[in-house]
Amino acid sequence: KFMIHLISKILQDLRRVPATKDLVSFLMVALTGGELEFSVFSKIGNFTYNVLLSGTSTKLFRHFWQIYKGGKFTLYDYGRTGNIEHYGTDEPPCMLDYYSLLDIPIHFVCGENDNLIPKEDVVIHYERMCKYGQQDLAHYTCFAKMSHLGFTYSQNERLIERSEEHTS
């Protein structure tokens, strides 16, 4: 509840106090990447309380932290007992070891200005899929000047056009 109230207050201030909007824009660009002049927070009028708060869960943040700390792209770590129950093993499986089972097209996209998921990490997944003989199903695109939040909240027509090219 504390985080919901905190974010709600920040969103109110973003709409009313330009200095707060500038500060949050600066902090988010520093954290997630991109360029300040193209920060999605400069268009905060397009955001709503529900859009920002409904996009993720605390379990997702825990999972990202587990991946970061472990240095491997694994399923969620429930602890030894929970992992045995969910996966039949003490440790959560590393997903890179199962790319040979994929039989659908996967589109790996990244932004050169993404500080949360560097393009090198995306390339690892693309190359692993190709290594397993799935190169016909694996597609890779890196977008110049795109940041992490840019994929979620920007109105970049080039990104939309490129994704339509790959899906048609």
Side-chain angles (χ1 to χ4, degrees), residues 5-21:
H5 291 303
L6 177 66
I7 292 171
S8 176
K9 175 63 177 142
I10 290 171
L11 288 174
Q12 288 175 353
D13 288 351
L14 287 175
R15 289 189 188 102
R16 296 183 186 141
V17 183
T20 304
K21 184 194 293 188

Side-chain angles (χ1 to χ4, degrees), residues 107 143 157-168:
H107 299 272
F143 294 91
E157 295 85 13
R158 181 172 176 252
L159 180 62
I160 295 166
E161 289 169 11
R162 291 292 297 254
S163 79
E164 288 172 354
E165 286 174 22
H166 289 301
T167 58
S168 53

